[in-house]
mmCIF file of all heavy atoms in Angstrom:
data_model
loop_
_atom_site.group_PDB
_atom_site.id
_atom_site.type_symbol
_atom_site.label_atom_id
_atom_site.label_comp_id
_atom_site.label_asym_id
_atom_site.label_seq_id
_atom_site.Cartn_x
_atom_site.Cartn_y
_atom_site.Cartn_z
ATOM 1 N N ILE A 1 5.754 -6.544 -6.629
ATOM 2 C CA ILE A 1 6.226 -5.429 -7.344
ATOM 3 C C ILE A 1 7.685 -5.069 -6.823
ATOM 4 O O ILE A 1 7.868 -5.087 -5.597
ATOM 5 C CB ILE A 1 5.338 -4.181 -7.116
ATOM 6 C CG1 ILE A 1 3.929 -4.418 -7.663
ATOM 7 C CG2 ILE A 1 5.973 -2.928 -7.751
ATOM 8 C CD1 ILE A 1 2.973 -3.297 -7.329
ATOM 9 N N SER A 2 8.607 -4.865 -7.709
ATOM 10 C CA SER A 2 9.932 -4.407 -7.301
ATOM 11 C C SER A 2 10.147 -3.030 -7.728
ATOM 12 O O SER A 2 9.714 -2.604 -8.838
ATOM 13 C CB SER A 2 10.944 -5.365 -8.056
ATOM 14 O OG SER A 2 12.254 -4.988 -7.704
ATOM 15 N N PHE A 3 10.677 -2.207 -6.899
ATOM 16 C CA PHE A 3 10.760 -0.795 -7.200
ATOM 17 C C PHE A 3 12.033 -0.172 -6.537
ATOM 18 O O PHE A 3 12.546 -0.669 -5.541
ATOM 19 C CB PHE A 3 9.511 0.005 -6.740
ATOM 20 C CG PHE A 3 9.207 -0.085 -5.258
ATOM 21 C CD1 PHE A 3 9.707 0.870 -4.377
ATOM 22 C CD2 PHE A 3 8.498 -1.206 -4.731
ATOM 23 C CE1 PHE A 3 9.437 0.785 -3.033
ATOM 24 C CE2 PHE A 3 8.262 -1.238 -3.349
ATOM 25 C CZ PHE A 3 8.694 -0.225 -2.567
ATOM 26 N N ARG A 4 12.472 0.969 -7.088
ATOM 27 C CA ARG A 4 13.520 1.697 -6.450
ATOM 28 C C ARG A 4 12.953 2.471 -5.238
ATOM 29 O O ARG A 4 11.809 2.964 -5.228
ATOM 30 C CB ARG A 4 14.123 2.723 -7.371
ATOM 31 C CG ARG A 4 14.816 2.144 -8.573
ATOM 32 C CD ARG A 4 15.655 3.119 -9.245
ATOM 33 N NE ARG A 4 16.362 2.635 -10.449
ATOM 34 C CZ ARG A 4 17.451 1.890 -10.365
ATOM 35 N NH1 ARG A 4 18.013 1.636 -9.213
ATOM 36 N NH2 ARG A 4 17.939 1.371 -11.453
ATOM 37 N N PRO A 5 13.710 2.420 -4.062
ATOM 38 C CA PRO A 5 13.195 2.959 -2.832
ATOM 39 C C PRO A 5 12.928 4.450 -2.972
ATOM 40 O O PRO A 5 13.844 5.263 -3.299
ATOM 41 C CB PRO A 5 14.318 2.657 -1.850
ATOM 42 C CG PRO A 5 15.258 1.846 -2.463
ATOM 43 C CD PRO A 5 15.035 1.798 -3.941
ATOM 44 N N HIS A 6 11.721 4.873 -2.777
ATOM 45 C CA HIS A 6 11.341 6.249 -2.757
ATOM 46 C C HIS A 6 10.032 6.339 -1.976
ATOM 47 O O HIS A 6 9.109 5.539 -2.160
ATOM 48 C CB HIS A 6 11.173 6.894 -4.185
ATOM 49 C CG HIS A 6 11.155 8.342 -4.111
ATOM 50 N ND1 HIS A 6 10.022 9.041 -3.713
ATOM 51 C CD2 HIS A 6 12.078 9.284 -4.492
ATOM 52 C CE1 HIS A 6 10.267 10.324 -3.752
ATOM 53 N NE2 HIS A 6 11.525 10.492 -4.265
ATOM 54 N N THR A 7 9.940 7.392 -1.107
ATOM 55 C CA THR A 7 8.812 7.533 -0.279
ATOM 56 C C THR A 7 7.464 7.646 -1.011
ATOM 57 O O THR A 7 6.414 7.289 -0.558
ATOM 58 C CB THR A 7 8.932 8.678 0.724
ATOM 59 O OG1 THR A 7 9.238 9.866 -0.018
ATOM 60 C CG2 THR A 7 10.053 8.391 1.731
ATOM 61 N N ARG A 8 7.466 8.201 -2.278
ATOM 62 C CA ARG A 8 6.246 8.310 -2.983
ATOM 63 C C ARG A 8 5.620 6.915 -3.402
ATOM 64 O O ARG A 8 4.431 6.834 -3.680
ATOM 65 C CB ARG A 8 6.463 9.184 -4.327
ATOM 66 C CG ARG A 8 7.193 8.486 -5.395
ATOM 67 C CD ARG A 8 7.278 9.354 -6.646
ATOM 68 N NE ARG A 8 8.245 8.852 -7.554
ATOM 69 C CZ ARG A 8 9.439 9.251 -7.707
ATOM 70 N NH1 ARG A 8 9.954 10.273 -7.032
ATOM 71 N NH2 ARG A 8 10.164 8.672 -8.587
ATOM 72 N N ARG A 9 6.450 5.914 -3.342
ATOM 73 C CA ARG A 9 5.980 4.533 -3.651
ATOM 74 C C ARG A 9 5.011 4.064 -2.549
ATOM 75 O O ARG A 9 4.127 3.226 -2.797
ATOM 76 C CB ARG A 9 7.089 3.642 -3.802
ATOM 77 C CG ARG A 9 7.965 3.893 -4.924
ATOM 78 C CD ARG A 9 7.259 3.645 -6.256
ATOM 79 N NE ARG A 9 8.115 3.995 -7.340
ATOM 80 C CZ ARG A 9 7.769 4.817 -8.348
ATOM 81 N NH1 ARG A 9 6.595 5.349 -8.434
ATOM 82 N NH2 ARG A 9 8.601 5.111 -9.320
ATOM 83 N N VAL A 10 5.094 4.557 -1.365
ATOM 84 C CA VAL A 10 4.306 4.158 -0.253
ATOM 85 C C VAL A 10 2.796 4.356 -0.594
ATOM 86 O O VAL A 10 1.945 3.420 -0.491
ATOM 87 C CB VAL A 10 4.625 4.859 1.089
ATOM 88 C CG1 VAL A 10 3.710 4.454 2.204
ATOM 89 C CG2 VAL A 10 6.109 4.498 1.417
ATOM 90 N N ALA A 11 2.461 5.542 -0.998
ATOM 91 C CA ALA A 11 1.023 5.826 -1.395
ATOM 92 C C ALA A 11 0.614 4.979 -2.572
ATOM 93 O O ALA A 11 -0.534 4.551 -2.535
ATOM 94 C CB ALA A 11 0.862 7.357 -1.620
ATOM 95 N N HIS A 12 1.470 4.797 -3.519
ATOM 96 C CA HIS A 12 1.118 4.008 -4.706
ATOM 97 C C HIS A 12 0.717 2.528 -4.266
ATOM 98 O O HIS A 12 -0.304 2.055 -4.705
ATOM 99 C CB HIS A 12 2.249 3.873 -5.696
ATOM 100 C CG HIS A 12 2.597 5.154 -6.307
ATOM 101 N ND1 HIS A 12 3.877 5.411 -6.895
ATOM 102 C CD2 HIS A 12 1.944 6.356 -6.415
ATOM 103 C CE1 HIS A 12 3.985 6.586 -7.326
ATOM 104 N NE2 HIS A 12 2.773 7.201 -7.111
ATOM 105 N N LEU A 13 1.505 1.975 -3.338
ATOM 106 C CA LEU A 13 1.324 0.569 -2.983
ATOM 107 C C LEU A 13 0.145 0.522 -2.029
ATOM 108 O O LEU A 13 -0.701 -0.497 -2.087
ATOM 109 C CB LEU A 13 2.569 -0.006 -2.310
ATOM 110 C CG LEU A 13 3.755 -0.172 -3.301
ATOM 111 C CD1 LEU A 13 4.983 -0.503 -2.624
ATOM 112 C CD2 LEU A 13 3.405 -1.175 -4.430
ATOM 113 N N ARG A 14 -0.094 1.472 -1.246
ATOM 114 C CA ARG A 14 -1.341 1.518 -0.392
ATOM 115 C C ARG A 14 -2.592 1.537 -1.253
ATOM 116 O O ARG A 14 -3.513 0.798 -1.041
ATOM 117 C CB ARG A 14 -1.248 2.721 0.534
ATOM 118 C CG ARG A 14 -2.368 2.775 1.506
ATOM 119 C CD ARG A 14 -2.165 3.974 2.519
ATOM 120 N NE ARG A 14 -2.073 5.304 1.823
ATOM 121 C CZ ARG A 14 -1.020 6.085 1.918
ATOM 122 N NH1 ARG A 14 -0.011 5.726 2.588
ATOM 123 N NH2 ARG A 14 -1.038 7.193 1.273
ATOM 124 N N HIS A 15 -2.569 2.327 -2.341
ATOM 125 C CA HIS A 15 -3.672 2.425 -3.242
ATOM 126 C C HIS A 15 -3.872 1.135 -4.042
ATOM 127 O O HIS A 15 -5.018 0.639 -4.133
ATOM 128 C CB HIS A 15 -3.488 3.560 -4.249
ATOM 129 C CG HIS A 15 -4.531 3.679 -5.257
ATOM 130 N ND1 HIS A 15 -5.756 4.174 -5.006
ATOM 131 C CD2 HIS A 15 -4.535 3.320 -6.547
ATOM 132 C CE1 HIS A 15 -6.483 4.182 -6.119
ATOM 133 N NE2 HIS A 15 -5.713 3.670 -7.058
ATOM 134 N N ILE A 16 -2.794 0.552 -4.464
ATOM 135 C CA ILE A 16 -2.943 -0.732 -5.207
ATOM 136 C C ILE A 16 -3.520 -1.788 -4.275
ATOM 137 O O ILE A 16 -4.444 -2.580 -4.734
ATOM 138 C CB ILE A 16 -1.558 -1.112 -5.747
ATOM 139 C CG1 ILE A 16 -1.157 -0.203 -6.934
ATOM 140 C CG2 ILE A 16 -1.549 -2.589 -6.242
ATOM 141 C CD1 ILE A 16 0.365 -0.349 -7.323
ATOM 142 N N ALA A 17 -2.988 -1.939 -3.099
ATOM 143 C CA ALA A 17 -3.445 -2.946 -2.136
ATOM 144 C C ALA A 17 -4.958 -2.764 -1.871
ATOM 145 O O ALA A 17 -5.775 -3.736 -1.847
ATOM 146 C CB ALA A 17 -2.683 -2.877 -0.853
ATOM 147 N N GLY A 18 -5.366 -1.526 -1.665
ATOM 148 C CA GLY A 18 -6.790 -1.318 -1.416
ATOM 149 C C GLY A 18 -7.691 -1.636 -2.590
ATOM 150 O O GLY A 18 -8.742 -2.233 -2.396
ATOM 151 N N ALA A 19 -7.231 -1.235 -3.792
ATOM 152 C CA ALA A 19 -8.012 -1.562 -4.974
ATOM 153 C C ALA A 19 -8.164 -3.092 -5.167
ATOM 154 O O ALA A 19 -9.238 -3.636 -5.440
ATOM 155 C CB ALA A 19 -7.318 -0.968 -6.220
ATOM 156 N N LEU A 20 -7.032 -3.848 -5.004
ATOM 157 C CA LEU A 20 -7.123 -5.248 -5.140
ATOM 158 C C LEU A 20 -8.123 -5.934 -4.188
ATOM 159 O O LEU A 20 -8.907 -6.787 -4.573
ATOM 160 C CB LEU A 20 -5.678 -5.844 -4.919
ATOM 161 C CG LEU A 20 -5.525 -7.373 -4.978
ATOM 162 C CD1 LEU A 20 -5.802 -7.912 -6.375
ATOM 163 C CD2 LEU A 20 -4.180 -7.746 -4.403
ATOM 164 N N LEU A 21 -8.068 -5.469 -2.918
ATOM 165 C CA LEU A 21 -8.807 -6.156 -1.914
ATOM 166 C C LEU A 21 -10.320 -5.712 -2.001
ATOM 167 O O LEU A 21 -11.278 -6.569 -1.835
ATOM 168 C CB LEU A 21 -8.396 -5.843 -0.494
ATOM 169 C CG LEU A 21 -6.960 -6.421 -0.215
ATOM 170 C CD1 LEU A 21 -6.446 -6.009 1.162
ATOM 171 C CD2 LEU A 21 -6.916 -7.896 -0.365
ATOM 172 N N ARG A 22 -10.537 -4.430 -2.404
ATOM 173 C CA ARG A 22 -11.947 -3.974 -2.574
ATOM 174 C C ARG A 22 -12.630 -4.764 -3.717
ATOM 175 O O ARG A 22 -13.755 -5.126 -3.653
ATOM 176 C CB ARG A 22 -11.999 -2.545 -2.838
ATOM 177 C CG ARG A 22 -11.819 -1.721 -1.554
ATOM 178 C CD ARG A 22 -12.013 -0.160 -1.856
ATOM 179 N NE ARG A 22 -11.676 0.534 -0.625
ATOM 180 C CZ ARG A 22 -10.548 1.139 -0.426
ATOM 181 N NH1 ARG A 22 -9.526 1.133 -1.343
ATOM 182 N NH2 ARG A 22 -10.236 1.805 0.712
ATOM 183 N N GLU A 23 -11.873 -4.875 -4.875
ATOM 184 C CA GLU A 23 -12.402 -5.639 -5.966
ATOM 185 C C GLU A 23 -12.686 -7.091 -5.634
ATOM 186 O O GLU A 23 -13.629 -7.694 -6.211
ATOM 187 C CB GLU A 23 -11.395 -5.665 -7.156
ATOM 188 C CG GLU A 23 -11.360 -4.345 -7.921
ATOM 189 C CD GLU A 23 -12.689 -4.094 -8.635
ATOM 190 O OE1 GLU A 23 -13.193 -5.014 -9.241
ATOM 191 O OE2 GLU A 23 -13.103 -2.918 -8.572
ATOM 192 N N GLY A 24 -12.010 -7.609 -4.622
ATOM 193 C CA GLY A 24 -12.251 -9.025 -4.217
ATOM 194 C C GLY A 24 -13.395 -9.136 -3.149
ATOM 195 O O GLY A 24 -13.620 -10.183 -2.683
ATOM 196 N N GLY A 25 -13.901 -7.977 -2.723
ATOM 197 C CA GLY A 25 -15.038 -8.041 -1.754
ATOM 198 C C GLY A 25 -14.651 -8.141 -0.328
ATOM 199 O O GLY A 25 -15.399 -8.406 0.535
ATOM 200 N N ILE A 26 -13.407 -7.823 -0.001
ATOM 201 C CA ILE A 26 -12.963 -7.768 1.304
ATOM 202 C C ILE A 26 -13.618 -6.573 2.081
ATOM 203 O O ILE A 26 -13.612 -5.506 1.496
ATOM 204 C CB ILE A 26 -11.397 -7.720 1.430
ATOM 205 C CG1 ILE A 26 -10.780 -8.930 0.769
ATOM 206 C CG2 ILE A 26 -10.899 -7.551 2.862
ATOM 207 C CD1 ILE A 26 -11.052 -10.216 1.479
ATOM 208 N N ALA A 27 -13.942 -6.730 3.297
ATOM 209 C CA ALA A 27 -14.622 -5.688 4.131
ATOM 210 C C ALA A 27 -13.744 -4.408 4.224
ATOM 211 O O ALA A 27 -12.541 -4.500 4.329
ATOM 212 C CB ALA A 27 -14.925 -6.282 5.517
ATOM 213 N N GLU A 28 -14.361 -3.311 4.086
ATOM 214 C CA GLU A 28 -13.673 -2.029 4.148
ATOM 215 C C GLU A 28 -12.826 -1.835 5.366
ATOM 216 O O GLU A 28 -11.675 -1.310 5.264
ATOM 217 C CB GLU A 28 -14.693 -0.832 4.046
ATOM 218 C CG GLU A 28 -14.022 0.532 3.873
ATOM 219 C CD GLU A 28 -13.196 0.611 2.597
ATOM 220 O OE1 GLU A 28 -13.488 -0.128 1.596
ATOM 221 O OE2 GLU A 28 -12.186 1.415 2.581
ATOM 222 N N GLY A 29 -13.237 -2.306 6.538
ATOM 223 C CA GLY A 29 -12.383 -2.176 7.704
ATOM 224 C C GLY A 29 -11.090 -2.936 7.602
ATOM 225 O O GLY A 29 -10.027 -2.483 8.030
ATOM 226 N N VAL A 30 -11.112 -4.133 6.971
ATOM 227 C CA VAL A 30 -9.939 -4.905 6.776
ATOM 228 C C VAL A 30 -9.060 -4.208 5.733
ATOM 229 O O VAL A 30 -7.810 -4.116 5.866
ATOM 230 C CB VAL A 30 -10.333 -6.360 6.233
ATOM 231 C CG1 VAL A 30 -9.075 -7.131 5.853
ATOM 232 C CG2 VAL A 30 -11.108 -7.108 7.380
ATOM 233 N N VAL A 31 -9.680 -3.690 4.667
ATOM 234 C CA VAL A 31 -8.851 -3.010 3.634
ATOM 235 C C VAL A 31 -8.103 -1.788 4.214
ATOM 236 O O VAL A 31 -6.937 -1.607 3.958
ATOM 237 C CB VAL A 31 -9.827 -2.499 2.565
ATOM 238 C CG1 VAL A 31 -9.056 -1.577 1.540
ATOM 239 C CG2 VAL A 31 -10.446 -3.707 1.758
ATOM 240 N N GLU A 32 -8.788 -1.093 5.088
ATOM 241 C CA GLU A 32 -8.109 0.083 5.795
ATOM 242 C C GLU A 32 -6.996 -0.395 6.653
ATOM 243 O O GLU A 32 -5.980 0.221 6.646
ATOM 244 C CB GLU A 32 -9.133 0.873 6.559
ATOM 245 C CG GLU A 32 -10.103 1.619 5.666
ATOM 246 C CD GLU A 32 -11.333 2.182 6.430
ATOM 247 O OE1 GLU A 32 -11.368 2.085 7.612
ATOM 248 O OE2 GLU A 32 -12.091 2.923 5.684
ATOM 249 N N THR A 33 -7.130 -1.513 7.348
ATOM 250 C CA THR A 33 -6.050 -2.007 8.163
ATOM 251 C C THR A 33 -4.917 -2.436 7.288
ATOM 252 O O THR A 33 -3.787 -2.136 7.624
ATOM 253 C CB THR A 33 -6.549 -3.163 9.059
ATOM 254 O OG1 THR A 33 -7.568 -2.683 9.906
ATOM 255 C CG2 THR A 33 -5.450 -3.824 9.891
ATOM 256 N N VAL A 34 -5.193 -3.148 6.300
ATOM 257 C CA VAL A 34 -4.141 -3.579 5.352
ATOM 258 C C VAL A 34 -3.361 -2.362 4.781
ATOM 259 O O VAL A 34 -2.179 -2.332 4.699
ATOM 260 C CB VAL A 34 -4.657 -4.441 4.186
ATOM 261 C CG1 VAL A 34 -3.665 -4.674 3.099
ATOM 262 C CG2 VAL A 34 -5.097 -5.823 4.784
ATOM 263 N N GLN A 35 -4.108 -1.361 4.355
ATOM 264 C CA GLN A 35 -3.440 -0.169 3.807
ATOM 265 C C GLN A 35 -2.538 0.508 4.763
ATOM 266 O O GLN A 35 -1.475 0.998 4.442
ATOM 267 C CB GLN A 35 -4.507 0.809 3.293
ATOM 268 C CG GLN A 35 -5.195 0.322 2.000
ATOM 269 C CD GLN A 35 -6.253 1.304 1.549
ATOM 270 O OE1 GLN A 35 -7.154 1.619 2.203
ATOM 271 N NE2 GLN A 35 -6.028 1.802 0.298
ATOM 272 N N LEU A 36 -2.976 0.588 6.033
ATOM 273 C CA LEU A 36 -2.129 1.192 7.097
ATOM 274 C C LEU A 36 -0.863 0.318 7.236
ATOM 275 O O LEU A 36 0.246 0.939 7.283
ATOM 276 C CB LEU A 36 -2.853 1.258 8.435
ATOM 277 C CG LEU A 36 -2.044 1.718 9.620
ATOM 278 C CD1 LEU A 36 -1.547 3.120 9.412
ATOM 279 C CD2 LEU A 36 -2.932 1.669 10.912
ATOM 280 N N LEU A 37 -1.005 -0.987 7.330
ATOM 281 C CA LEU A 37 0.147 -1.803 7.489
ATOM 282 C C LEU A 37 1.099 -1.824 6.310
ATOM 283 O O LEU A 37 2.356 -1.902 6.468
ATOM 284 C CB LEU A 37 -0.293 -3.273 7.880
ATOM 285 C CG LEU A 37 -1.054 -3.285 9.229
ATOM 286 C CD1 LEU A 37 -1.386 -4.700 9.585
ATOM 287 C CD2 LEU A 37 -0.337 -2.607 10.339
ATOM 288 N N VAL A 38 0.522 -1.711 5.089
ATOM 289 C CA VAL A 38 1.328 -1.606 3.898
ATOM 290 C C VAL A 38 2.178 -0.315 4.055
ATOM 291 O O VAL A 38 3.414 -0.288 3.755
ATOM 292 C CB VAL A 38 0.478 -1.519 2.595
ATOM 293 C CG1 VAL A 38 1.264 -1.030 1.429
ATOM 294 C CG2 VAL A 38 -0.071 -2.921 2.281
ATOM 295 N N SER A 39 1.595 0.754 4.406
ATOM 296 C CA SER A 39 2.279 2.007 4.641
ATOM 297 C C SER A 39 3.443 1.884 5.590
ATOM 298 O O SER A 39 4.521 2.363 5.313
ATOM 299 C CB SER A 39 1.354 3.109 5.154
ATOM 300 O OG SER A 39 0.332 3.504 4.211
ATOM 301 N N GLU A 40 3.178 1.255 6.710
ATOM 302 C CA GLU A 40 4.220 1.158 7.728
ATOM 303 C C GLU A 40 5.420 0.261 7.343
ATOM 304 O O GLU A 40 6.558 0.614 7.452
ATOM 305 C CB GLU A 40 3.640 0.602 9.092
ATOM 306 C CG GLU A 40 2.577 1.536 9.715
ATOM 307 C CD GLU A 40 3.021 2.982 9.831
ATOM 308 O OE1 GLU A 40 4.292 3.212 10.094
ATOM 309 O OE2 GLU A 40 2.247 3.895 9.898
ATOM 310 N N ILE A 41 5.017 -0.912 6.689
ATOM 311 C CA ILE A 41 6.066 -1.793 6.355
ATOM 312 C C ILE A 41 6.886 -1.325 5.203
ATOM 313 O O ILE A 41 8.144 -1.432 5.110
ATOM 314 C CB ILE A 41 5.478 -3.250 6.040
ATOM 315 C CG1 ILE A 41 5.108 -3.854 7.434
ATOM 316 C CG2 ILE A 41 6.453 -4.199 5.343
ATOM 317 C CD1 ILE A 41 4.477 -5.237 7.302
ATOM 318 N N VAL A 42 6.210 -0.747 4.199
ATOM 319 C CA VAL A 42 6.925 -0.214 2.982
ATOM 320 C C VAL A 42 7.749 1.013 3.415
ATOM 321 O O VAL A 42 8.928 1.151 2.931
ATOM 322 C CB VAL A 42 5.963 0.085 1.839
ATOM 323 C CG1 VAL A 42 6.617 0.765 0.689
ATOM 324 C CG2 VAL A 42 5.314 -1.258 1.299
ATOM 325 N N THR A 43 7.235 1.859 4.257
ATOM 326 C CA THR A 43 8.017 3.000 4.680
ATOM 327 C C THR A 43 9.314 2.493 5.368
ATOM 328 O O THR A 43 10.386 3.053 5.065
ATOM 329 C CB THR A 43 7.171 3.880 5.635
ATOM 330 O OG1 THR A 43 6.057 4.431 4.893
ATOM 331 C CG2 THR A 43 8.010 4.993 6.174
ATOM 332 N N ASN A 44 9.188 1.563 6.233
ATOM 333 C CA ASN A 44 10.385 1.059 6.876
ATOM 334 C C ASN A 44 11.401 0.458 5.855
ATOM 335 O O ASN A 44 12.565 0.717 5.918
ATOM 336 C CB ASN A 44 10.076 -0.099 7.847
ATOM 337 C CG ASN A 44 9.620 0.422 9.270
ATOM 338 O OD1 ASN A 44 9.615 1.623 9.461
ATOM 339 N ND2 ASN A 44 9.160 -0.447 10.081
ATOM 340 N N ALA A 45 10.920 -0.191 4.886
ATOM 341 C CA ALA A 45 11.784 -0.752 3.818
ATOM 342 C C ALA A 45 12.501 0.345 3.009
ATOM 343 O O ALA A 45 13.685 0.255 2.723
ATOM 344 C CB ALA A 45 11.025 -1.673 2.902
ATOM 345 N N VAL A 46 11.701 1.392 2.729
ATOM 346 C CA VAL A 46 12.278 2.500 1.911
ATOM 347 C C VAL A 46 13.293 3.270 2.726
ATOM 348 O O VAL A 46 14.389 3.591 2.270
ATOM 349 C CB VAL A 46 11.155 3.415 1.354
ATOM 350 C CG1 VAL A 46 11.627 4.709 0.861
ATOM 351 C CG2 VAL A 46 10.331 2.624 0.319
#
C-alpha cells in the first residue's frame, strides 16, 4: 500500500495486517507482535 504520510494511517495498517494474518490462521500472539511492529515502523516512516 502506498499512502500520504499521516499518523491515522498507522492504525489502519495495523488493523489490515492483523486481519490478513488472522484469516491465514497465524497464532494470535504472532499477530499481536506483528501489529506492534507495524505500528512502530510505520510511525517512524510517517
Side-chain angles (χ1 to χ4, degrees):
I1 299 172
S2 177
F3 60 94
R4 293 197 183 277
H6 194 285
T7 54
R8 73 176 170 261
R9 296 291 177 232
V10 175
H12 296 157
L13 294 172
R14 186 175 55 242
H15 176 75
I16 289 167
L20 175 70
L21 297 177
R22 282 185 187 101
E23 283 294 315
I26 298 297
E28 188 60 28
V30 174
V31 172
E32 291 170 357
T33 298
V34 167
Q35 288 181 299
L36 174 61
L37 298 183
V38 165
S39 293
E40 297 305 333
I41 287 180
V42 172
T43 297
N44 279 355
V46 167

